[in-house]
Amino acid sequence: MKKYPSKLEPIPIHQAVFELKFTSAVPDEVVYGMLYSSFNTKYPIQVSLPVSAIPMEIKRSNPDLLNQPHYRMSGESPLVLLIGPRSIALTYEKY
């Protein structure tokens, strides 16, 4: 009978994503600001993604744009936080 390894070396996973989509009682424009205060010490590097430059009126007409991440927060760990008006994702990136 063939034995399978119990542990893979080196670890073959280079990226994994957990995404949560939600609706909120607060306006879409303030979701990032509310989350920023909770995560800015662990993820001090913030980057605005290109979709954040699209006017909110256009984004509201296309629900796919509201579910896209608008901001990327990172730090020293391989974990990256992606925040949009109606979604939040935690990404593990090992490159």
Side-chain angles (χ1 to χ4, degrees):
M1 177 178 252
K2 189 174 183 181
K3 283 196 109 181
Y4 294 102
S6 61
K7 187 174 184 181
L8 297 175
E9 292 288 338
I11 298 173
I13 299 173
H14 292 279
Q15 185 178 35
V17 179
F18 171 78
E19 181 180 28
L20 177 67
K21 294 181 181 179
F22 58 88
T23 57
S24 176
V26 299
D28 294 332
E29 296 88 344
V30 300
V31 171
Y32 175 70
M34 293 175 68
L35 295 173
Y36 173 83
S37 62
S38 299
F39 295 109
N40 68 337
T41 54
K42 185 166 182 157
Y43 303 99
I45 303 166
Q46 293 92 29
V47 176
S48 295
L49 301 176
V51 73
S52 67
I54 298 172
M56 191 55 78
E57 295 79 28
I58 295 173
K59 289 188 258 191
R60 282 196 184 99
S61 67
N62 185 347
D64 292 334
L65 293 175
L66 288 174
N67 290 326
Q68 294 294 316
H70 289 45
Y71 302 95
R72 181 181 194 274
M73 298 178 75
S74 60
E76 293 182 19
S77 77
L79 295 175
V80 175
L81 195 60
L82 301 168
I83 301 172
R86 297 187 186 168
S87 68
I88 186 168
L90 187 62
T91 305
Y92 171 81
E93 297 177 351
K94 179 184 173 191
Y95 294 107

